[in-house]
């Protein structure tokens, strides 16, 4: 016999397959994004991407409407802006750490529902973050000049 909780868990996993699949696609696009901005250093493009990703939750926090949620999300976004700024002239591993850190933040958001109305977004964004972080880490470890 299957419990109601098990059926619900399978249903939730099934409903998150599409956002996570799209997360893989956008993670790969994010890794390739310096090609679209060829006149900028790859580190700058990745840093801009990290700040954009972090800023999305500010919009969700505004839509949520609770002041403490907006305050927390503003603080979290500020941390990622600082990491991104340091990554422009620092080590490429800061981009990897920033993306992975944001992925962990997404997993926390998915588990807690801290910001209301984001049911499918955290799994999507976590997938983008982890795919991009992993691909960039592999490129750095392999000696591919992904970041100038």
């Amino acid at each position: 016999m299957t419990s109601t909780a098990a059926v619900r868990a399978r249903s939730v996993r099934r409903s998150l397959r599409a956002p996570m699949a799209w997360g893989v696609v956008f993670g790969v696009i994010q890794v390739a994004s310096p090609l679209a901005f060829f006149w900028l250093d790859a580190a700058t493009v990745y840093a801009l991407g990290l700040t954009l990703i972090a800023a999305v939750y500010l919009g969700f926090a505004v839509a949520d409407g609770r002041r403490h949620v907006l305050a927390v999300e503003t603080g979290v976004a500020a941390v990622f802006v600082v990491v991104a700024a340091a990554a422009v002239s620092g080590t490429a591993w800061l981009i990897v750490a920033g993306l992975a850190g944001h992925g962990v933040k997404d997993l926390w958001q998915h588990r807690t529902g801290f910001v209301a109305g984001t049911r499918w977004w955290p799994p999507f964004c976590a997938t983008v973050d982890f795919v991009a972080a992993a691909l960039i880490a592999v490129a750095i470890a392999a000696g591919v000049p992904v970041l100038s």
Side-chain angles (χ1 to χ4, degrees), residues 63-109:
D64 180 293
R66 295 176 289 167
R67 288 183 188 168
H68 74 280
V69 171
L70 183 56
V72 168
E73 293 300 327
T74 299
V76 170
V79 168
F80 287 108
V81 167
V82 169
V83 170
V88 170
S89 61
T91 175
W93 289 106
L94 284 173
I95 293 294
V96 174
L99 289 166
H102 195 267
V104 169
K105 192 268 185 203
D106 289 321
L107 293 177
W108 173 81
Q109 164 59 28

Side-chain angles (χ1 to χ4, degrees), residues 2-140:
T2 306
S3 72
T4 304
V7 170
R8 185 174 183 282
R10 270 196 303 270
S11 175
V12 168
R13 279 193 302 272
R14 210 174 13 253
S15 71
L16 295 177
R17 280 188 191 144
M20 291 175 71
W22 281 108
V24 171
V25 170
F26 277 85
V28 171
I29 290 170
Q30 184 172 351
V31 171
S33 64
L35 298 173
F37 300 94
F38 57 88
W39 63 92
L40 295 173
D41 290 336
T44 301
V45 176
Y46 288 139
L48 288 169
L50 181 58
T51 60
L52 177 65
I53 290 167
V56 168
Y57 276 103
L58 293 178
F60 286 137
V62 169
D64 180 293
R66 295 176 289 167
R67 288 183 188 168
H68 74 280
V69 171
L70 183 56
V72 168
E73 293 300 327
T74 299
V76 170
V79 168
F80 287 108
V81 167
V82 169
V83 170
V88 170
S89 61
T91 175
W93 289 106
L94 284 173
I95 293 294
V96 174
L99 289 166
H102 195 267
V104 169
K105 192 268 185 203
D106 289 321
L107 293 177
W108 173 81
Q109 164 59 28
H110 181 62
R111 183 152 175 81
T112 65
F114 180 69
V115 181
T118 61
R119 186 183 66 77
W120 65 269
W121 180 264
F124 163 78
C125 194
T127 305
V128 171
D129 294 334
F130 289 137
V131 166
L135 291 175
I136 294 169
V138 167
I140 292 168

